[in-house]
């Protein structure tokens, strides 16, 4: 049976036919949508990881100068972690309105909020100027950043996945994921330029503020591009059918609480591994092994270039062999590399440090590239924004948020890098277990989850996951 195709106005054409011209138009539209999503998420992650880089390099001196270096760094990273709790709240808030009002409007709001908070961080007076108020203002702005990102990522994923051809959903979903290494690359490049132009004293005094203030330019570009994209066909269909959930989060937790929780656990290793590289690893290399800040920034920058290449490779591969096998291979790689990652850094050799980051980044890419599409395919369209966002932000709360503070604490208590490696490996094992408790939905239409869900709502005893997929397949065969 031929698959239905989407027309230019977002409706579904069941004829199974289509001209070459319309196919080219679809490809052109997809390139535009993917570009808009990548640029928007790049801006958001740039803003977010500026904070992570600054936390590792200068925030302990700027906002917590009267504490010991270890305690000051821990508090700086806990401020970094505060955004992840806010991200979960933002996922619920933006998810509600994204499922009620649409994906596009929420993407514009999230970008404006993130840009405003990042600019304000660059203008916050330091501890020596206004005392204890400084870290509290910093914390407040960090929370606002988290709220914005909680709404950004899910909406950007849905913009690509809900528009994409079924056979290329993994590829287009991975395009959004590229925003993470690109945003991180730009954040580190910005700090690299600043640290190369000013002295260490000037960096702590005012230089660190420049990358935050400069983010205004990126935000302006992102907003301009997002004003020119269309709403997704899946949401248009939900709106036209009057099928919106009145309270998307309540509906989500009633019917999809297992995929939400398991999806968050399955994804937590992506957060702990990436944060290890861009925050904990930088802190360890500079403060424990005596490597220069500039060198560690270059290491992260090169690793992000590796990520930029391999994330879409693994996303496309997931379209051919499945999401779960690729993700599982990436998680297994993170477990295997957890100890060698630190052993290589401990050598102090530049080549060894680059190798450690390059190998870990490839494992991360296999894990991270397909995960956005995998999570999106777990949920029906009328609560997909909420489900995708809450599940992913839960993973950030479980993984990214606490990783920097815990790794610094473990190192401070044990004095051994192996303690940090055990933590990373343990997180990855938990993710692997949760992954295999979830259902692979690659072969079904992105909108078929709504058919299965409708049967649940009408009182039929059908569970989300494998049973729902089986019911959908029977319905398709009966046609």
């Amino acid at each position: 049976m031929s698959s239905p195709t989407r027309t230019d106005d977002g409706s579904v054409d069941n004829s199974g036919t289509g001209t070459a011209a319309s196919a080219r138009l679809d490809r052109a539209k997809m390139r535009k949508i993917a570009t808009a999503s990548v640029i928007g998420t790049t801006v958001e992650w740039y803003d977010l990881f500026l904070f992570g880089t600054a936390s590792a390099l200068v925030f302990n001196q700027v906002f917590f100068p009267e504490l010991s270096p270890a305690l000051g760094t821990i508090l700086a990273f806990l401020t970094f972690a505060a955004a992840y709790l806010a991200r979960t709240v933002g996922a619920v808030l933006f998810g509600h309105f994204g499922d009620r009002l649409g994906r596009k409007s929420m993407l514009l709001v999230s970008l404006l909020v993130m840009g405003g908070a990042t600019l304000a961080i660059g203008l916050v007076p330091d501890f020596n100027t206004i005392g204890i108020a400084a870290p509290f203002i910093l914390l407040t702005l960090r929370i606002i950043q988290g709220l914005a990102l909680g709404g950004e990522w899910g909406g950007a994923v849905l913009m690509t996945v809900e528009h994409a051809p079924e056979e290329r959903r993994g590829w287009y979903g991975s395009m959004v994921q590229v925003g993470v290494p690109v945003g991180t690359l730009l954040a580190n490049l910005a700090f690299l330029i600043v640290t190369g132009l000013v002295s260490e004293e000037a960096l702590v005094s005012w230089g660190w503020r420049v990358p935050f203030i400069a983010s205004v330019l990126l935000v302006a570009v992102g907003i301009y591009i997002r004003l020119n994209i269309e709403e997704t066909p899946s949401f248009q269909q939900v709106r036209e059918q009057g099928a919106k959930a009145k309270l998307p989060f309540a509906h989500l937790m009633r019917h999809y609480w297992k995929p939400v929780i398991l999806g968050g656990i399955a994804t937590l290793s992506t957060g702990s591994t990436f944060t290890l590289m861009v925050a904990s690893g930088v802190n360890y290399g500079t403060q424990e092994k005596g490597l220069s800040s500039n060198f560690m920034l270059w290491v992260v920058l090169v690793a992000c270039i590796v990520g930029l290449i391999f994330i879409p490779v693994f996303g496309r591969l997931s379209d051919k062999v499945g999401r779960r096998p690729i993700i599982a291979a990436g998680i297994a790689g993170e477990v295997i590399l957890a100890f060698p990652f630190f052993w290589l850094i401990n050598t102090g050799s530049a080549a060894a440090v680059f190798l450690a980051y390059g190998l870990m980044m490839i494992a991360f890419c296999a894990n991270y590239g397909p995960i956005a599409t995998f999570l999106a395919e777990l949920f029906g369209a009328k609560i997909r924004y909420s489900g995708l966002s809450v599940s992913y932000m839960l993973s950030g709360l479980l993984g990214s948020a606490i990783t920097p503070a815990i790794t610094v604490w473990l190192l401070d208590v044990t004095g051994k890098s192996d303690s940090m490696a055990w933590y990373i490996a343990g997180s990855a094992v938990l993710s692997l277990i949760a992954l295999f408790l979830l259902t692979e939905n690659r072969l079904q239409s992105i909108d078929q989850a709504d058919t299965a869900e409708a049967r649940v709502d009408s009182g039929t005893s059908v569970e989300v996951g494998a049973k729902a997929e089986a019911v959908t397949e029977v319905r398709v065969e009966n046609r």
Side-chain angles (χ1 to χ4, degrees):
M1 148 178 172
S2 60
S3 300
T5 57
R6 301 192 189 282
T7 61
D8 295 338
D9 63 1
S11 61
V12 177
D13 172 18
N14 292 299
S15 66
T17 62
T19 64
S22 65
R24 286 195 297 272
L25 179 62
D26 287 342
R27 287 196 295 270
K29 186 167 70 173
M30 278 308 307
R31 284 195 296 269
K32 177 181 177 182
I33 291 167
T35 300
S37 294
V38 170
I39 291 177
T41 52
T42 294
V43 173
E44 296 264 3
W45 288 109
Y46 168 83
D47 287 353
L48 192 77
F49 281 110
L50 275 180
F51 198 105
T53 304
S55 294
L57 297 179
V58 298
F59 275 1
N60 62 327
Q61 302 173 63
V62 175
F63 294 102
F64 309 99
E66 297 184 359
L67 303 175
S68 67
L71 184 56
T73 301
I74 289 173
L75 288 176
F77 278 141
L78 286 175
T79 303
F80 172 79
Y84 289 92
L85 179 59
R87 280 168 59 173
T88 306
V89 176
V92 175
L93 181 64
F94 280 89
H96 172 86
F97 290 105
D99 286 323
R100 294 288 300 169
L101 304 178
R103 305 0 180 169
K104 178 179 177 179
S105 57
M106 291 303 101
L107 286 174
L108 290 171
V109 171
S110 68
L111 195 56
L112 282 169
V113 172
M114 175 65 86
T118 304
L119 173 62
I121 288 173
L123 301 175
V124 176
D126 61 20
F127 184 91
N128 293 329
T129 303
I130 60 173
I132 195 65
F136 278 104
I137 294 173
L138 182 71
L139 176 61
T140 300
L141 293 171
R142 179 62 175 171
I143 289 172
I144 294 173
Q145 274 192 325
L147 288 171
L149 189 63
E152 158 66 28
W153 183 84
V157 169
L158 295 189
M159 267 294 172
T160 55
V161 170
E162 290 184 346
H163 275 106
E166 292 177 16
E167 71 280 3
R168 295 179 71 86
R169 285 203 301 258
W171 163 261
Y172 282 111
S174 70
M175 291 293 98
V176 177
Q177 305 294 71
V178 167
V180 172
V182 175
T184 308
L185 187 153
L186 292 177
N188 281 275
L189 185 60
F191 265 98
L192 194 63
I193 293 172
V194 171
T195 56
L197 294 177
V198 304
S199 65
E200 187 74 22
E201 181 180 350
L203 177 67
V204 175
S205 176
W206 59 267
W208 66 269
R209 300 179 184 276
V210 175
F212 287 89
I213 296 172
S215 70
V216 172
L217 300 175
L218 293 176
V219 171
V221 173
I223 290 174
Y224 172 77
I225 292 177
R226 284 190 168 173
L227 284 171
N228 295 289
I229 57 177
E230 303 174 9
E231 188 52 84
T232 72
S234 294
F235 180 76
Q236 288 182 30
Q237 182 175 312
V238 169
R239 181 169 53 195
E240 291 166 3
Q241 294 175 349
K244 297 179 189 176
K246 291 182 179 179
L247 294 172
F249 181 71
H251 188 94
L252 173 74
M253 299 313 294
R254 177 186 174 191
H255 296 290
Y256 289 89
W257 64 272
K258 286 184 181 179
V260 168
I261 294 173
L262 289 174
I265 297 173
T267 315
L268 79 87
S269 67
T270 63
S272 57
T273 300
F274 193 76
T275 307
L276 167 73
M277 290 186 284
V278 302
S280 302
V282 172
N283 178 69
Y284 179 73
T286 55
Q287 297 196 16
E288 300 298 326
K289 307 310 296 181
L291 301 171
S292 71
S293 298
N294 273 11
F295 172 74
M296 290 307 299
L297 289 175
W298 271 110
V299 170
V300 173
L301 189 149
V302 172
C304 287
I305 294 174
V306 173
L308 174 62
I309 295 170
F310 279 95
I311 283 178
V313 168
F314 288 117
R316 184 63 182 130
L317 191 59
S318 77
D319 285 323
K320 298 180 180 297
V321 303
R323 324 285 183 222
R324 193 162 58 181
I326 303 301
I327 297 169
I331 296 174
E334 291 167 352
V335 174
I336 294 169
L337 293 169
F339 290 91
F341 177 81
F342 288 103
W343 296 341
L344 289 167
I345 293 177
N346 288 340
T347 66
S349 163
V353 176
F354 276 108
L355 179 62
Y357 268 76
L359 292 174
M360 186 62 86
M361 179 58 76
I362 292 173
F364 165 80
C365 290
N367 185 357
Y368 192 66
I371 200 71
T373 307
F374 178 81
L375 292 177
E377 290 168 341
L378 295 175
F379 305 102
K382 69 180 181 182
I383 47 81
R384 188 174 291 133
Y385 201 134
S386 297
L388 176 66
S389 299
V390 172
S391 185
Y392 183 76
M393 296 312 159
L394 177 62
S395 76
L397 191 61
L398 296 173
S400 302
I402 59 177
T403 294
I406 286 182
T407 51
V408 170
W409 175 76
L410 287 172
L411 185 63
D412 190 50
V413 170
T414 67
K416 297 180 179 180
S417 61
D418 281 1
S419 61
M420 296 186 286
W422 278 114
Y423 172 76
I424 296 301
S427 299
V429 169
L430 284 177
S431 288
L432 195 60
I433 294 171
L435 177 69
F436 281 100
L437 293 175
L438 289 166
T439 303
E440 169 82 56
N441 293 321
R442 173 177 62 98
L443 298 179
Q444 74 176 41
S445 166
I446 193 70
D447 296 322
Q448 284 180 356
D450 295 306
T451 304
E453 183 189 345
R455 295 174 64 87
V456 176
D457 291 342
S458 65
T460 304
S461 178
V462 180
E463 291 183 10
V464 174
K467 292 183 180 179
E469 184 177 356
V471 170
T472 300
E473 290 173 354
V474 171
R475 291 171 63 89
V476 172
E477 289 173 2
N478 288 339
R479 291 179 184 176

